[in-house]
Amino acid sequence: ICFTIQNTYSDSCSKSDDKCTAHTENRYSKEVNNWSAEINKKISLALDQYIPCKRANCSCHADVIHKDLLPFKDGITKEQFAQARAKATKYQVIDGTLYREADCHFPARCAGVEHYLAELSPQLPNLELAINTRDWPQLNSAWGHPKAPVFSFSKTKDYYDIMYPAWSFWEGGPAISLYPTGIGRWDKHRKSISKAADKCPWAEKEVIAFFRGSRTSEERDALVLLSRSNPDLVDAQYTKNQAWKSDKDTLHAAPAAEVSFEDHCRYKYLFNYRGVAASFRLKHLFLCRSLVFHVGDDWLEFYYPSLKPWVHYVPVSPDASQQQIKRLVQFFKDNDALGKEIAERGFQHVWDNLTDKDVKCYWRRLLKKYSKLLKYEVVKDDKLRKVKDMI
Ligand code: UDP
């Protein structure tokens, strides 16, 4: 069900406030006007510069493959692969069949990856790859780590890791009580969330900024605290995760009940934050046709660079104060049509360019390009087992 509530929030001083003189009110509104003009300018500029990507053949994400493989443009040696392999799970494709070492640290995550690799293997040349299923990437150039081809689902630009579509597109995502077997099946979520969005069009959404999730990063605190002082503007609360021990882990408040992706569609403004690395949350938020506020631009998944700030989402600095966040939300309350347009473009982009077919296509293009960089002949490793036999 989608409710509309009258929101009474106002950023100006109240008449009963003695400190609220005409002078400060004028100065304040001038500042806000200048700031609003800046935001308008940023949106116009972003739209002027925006060239929609070509939809065919997962081309919207092709640059990411190019960039991630650039450090390896002179080829990948056997020694480099050995360094990568030490950080990850070893896979091989030999004569169209997928093999893996017996041990996988996170079996459900490996299964999520293997869903795509097994289907693709008959089309691939012989190759071997090292897939990291941990939450964080492995080889940081800024920390002096060696350059080696570890595949990871998320990284910042400082890492050599090569991004692959996260296991959770199919299975193995974090298990929360709403999704006890783990978040997955993006193909199904696309349908169910967009159906929920149809039931809850823009004009009927609650005019409130919303976030539900655990405290995997302190960057989330500002919004949660703002929610406590301005509950009519923001509803942001921490939920429990597996590491939860006491209310301290939910910023000294009782943990909130979890909210399904579909129920996020009731709210007009949806916030996304990094967690340990990029959060799986982001892609789901767009499907609500709500306005996405994406905080921080360091942590990426493969499809993030195709999304453009101010075109598809509202970028927010991870250092933004509660006051700055409040102002930004207020701006979009005051400029409703602008927010609706950004929300629509964000939805359409994810709907058109992040299908299960795009995920498969990305894997295929990535692995074909990667296989050409291997400078040595890949010889079947007898310690590996057929993935088919391990299921
Ligand atoms: N999640 C959810 N509803 C909730 C809390 C979490 O759907 O009420 C999802 C969330 O979108 C994310 C996953 O569960 O995809 C884990 O969220 P959390 O905030 O615990 O960690 P994150 O992965 O974002 O760092």
Side-chain angles (χ1 to χ4, degrees):
I1 313 157
C2 192
F3 299 99
T4 315
I5 56 159
Q6 199 57 41
N7 203 304
T8 51
Y9 166 79
S10 162
D11 209 7
S12 55
C13 311
S14 80
K15 291 249 163 24
S16 58
D17 186 347
D18 309 341
K19 284 175 272 167
C20 181
T21 62
H23 172 70
T24 52
E25 217 171 280
N26 282 344
R27 201 186 60 195
Y28 184 66
S29 52
K30 203 170 158 198
E31 222 180 275
V32 169
N33 284 344
N34 287 344
W35 180 84
S36 297
E38 275 298 304
I39 300 288
N40 271 306
K41 233 177 21 206
K42 283 181 183 168
I43 296 173
S44 306
L45 191 68
L47 286 174
D48 283 351
Q49 292 175 344
Y50 175 55
I51 304 167
C53 54
K54 287 207 184 76
R55 274 179 65 181
N57 237 348
C58 58
S59 301
C60 293
H61 314 294
D63 272 2
V64 179
I65 298 179
H66 174 75
K67 264 200 193 136
D68 281 2
L69 293 180
L70 206 57
F72 305 102
K73 67 179 186 332
D74 297 330
I76 295 164
T77 64
K78 216 171 174 166
E79 292 68 35
Q80 281 178 308
F81 181 76
Q83 282 172 325
R85 189 250 169 290
K87 300 277 178 192
T89 305
K90 180 175 175 181
Y91 283 88
Q92 283 191 330
V93 175
I94 304 288
D95 300 332
T97 299
L98 181 66
Y99 296 84
R100 190 194 83 203
E101 64 181 293
D103 188 36
C104 164
H105 203 62
F106 297 102
R109 296 183 184 185
C110 282
V113 167
E114 287 156 14
H115 166 77
Y116 293 101
L117 293 188
E119 187 181 321
L120 208 56
S121 293
Q123 305 167 42
L124 294 173
N126 285 1
L127 59 86
E128 55 189 11
L129 69 163
I131 297 195
N132 166 35
T133 51
R134 289 189 175 82
D135 288 335
W136 53 88
Q138 297 294 310
L139 299 174
N140 189 315
S141 59
W143 298 344
H145 291 161
K147 193 197 293 183
V150 175
F151 283 70
S152 295
F153 91 93
S154 172
K155 67 165 180 175
T156 71
K157 64 174 174 23
D158 288 336
Y159 286 84
Y160 290 122
D161 298 53
I162 300 162
M163 285 187 284
Y164 68 84
W167 50 84
S168 68
F169 276 98
W170 190 255
E171 66 175 298
I176 63 172
S177 55
L178 281 176
Y179 308 107
T181 56
I183 292 168
R185 292 307 299 260
W186 170 241
D187 57 336
K188 289 188 175 173
H189 271 132
R190 275 172 53 90
K191 290 188 190 131
S192 62
I193 302 170
S194 60
K195 217 163 134 191
D198 287 344
K199 286 198 191 129
C200 206
W202 182 259
E204 286 174 37
K205 290 180 193 286
E206 288 193 36
V207 186
I208 218 166
F210 187 79
F211 175 82
R212 256 331 158 271
S214 67
R215 196 169 178 240
T216 48
S217 144
E218 289 170 18
E219 283 179 12
R220 302 169 174 196
D221 288 0
L223 189 72
V224 170
L225 292 171
L226 181 61
S227 164
R228 291 178 190 173
S229 56
N230 289 262
D232 50 350
L233 182 74
V234 183
D235 177 355
Q237 299 180 54
Y238 281 132
T239 55
K240 268 185 193 179
N241 62 19
Q242 281 150 352
W244 188 90
K245 290 196 183 65
S246 70
D247 286 357
K248 192 167 162 255
D249 297 320
T250 28
L251 208 57
H252 309 287
E258 291 168 358
V259 173
S260 70
F261 290 125
E262 289 77 12
D263 282 346
H264 279 62
C265 298
R266 288 171 51 183
Y267 306 96
K268 210 169 231 186
Y269 312 122
L270 298 176
F271 271 70
N272 182 64
Y273 286 88
R274 60 164 289 197
V276 175
S279 169
F280 296 146
R281 177 180 286 96
L282 182 64
K283 58 184 181 296
H284 304 90
L285 302 185
F286 284 102
L287 294 184
C288 278
R289 295 177 185 249
S290 298
L291 181 61
V292 174
F293 288 65
H294 178 42
V295 184
D297 58 4
D298 280 354
W299 285 93
L300 305 173
E301 282 189 58
F302 86 92
Y303 66 90
Y304 282 30
S306 71
L307 290 157
K308 306 298 175 199
W310 303 116
V311 175
H312 301 114
Y313 65 86
V314 177
V316 184
S317 161
D319 304 322
S321 64
Q322 294 181 48
Q323 193 57 34
Q324 286 165 330
I325 296 173
K326 193 168 162 179
R327 235 191 220 191
L328 200 56
V329 175
Q330 185 62 37
F331 173 87
F332 283 101
K333 282 184 66 181
D334 296 341
N335 295 272
D336 192 62
L338 264 185
K340 186 181 179 197
E341 279 168 26
I342 297 175
E344 257 324 294
R345 274 192 300 270
F347 166 81
Q348 207 58 53
H349 180 82
V350 169
W351 185 254
D352 290 344
N353 300 300
L354 199 60
T355 61
D356 197 48
K357 202 170 150 204
D358 289 309
V359 173
K360 286 177 188 160
C361 169
Y362 189 86
W363 263 118
R364 185 173 58 248
R365 284 181 78 157
L366 174 63
L367 291 183
K368 287 205 163 157
K369 210 159 173 190
Y370 165 82
S371 70
K372 290 194 183 117
L373 296 172
L374 295 175
K375 275 183 160 173
Y376 57 95
E377 195 195 340
V378 176
V379 178
K380 186 168 178 296
D381 179 344
D382 288 331
K383 291 198 276 307
L384 306 194
R385 293 162 57 187
K386 265 190 197 162
V387 163
K388 211 162 58 140
D389 297 343
M390 289 194 279
I391 296 167

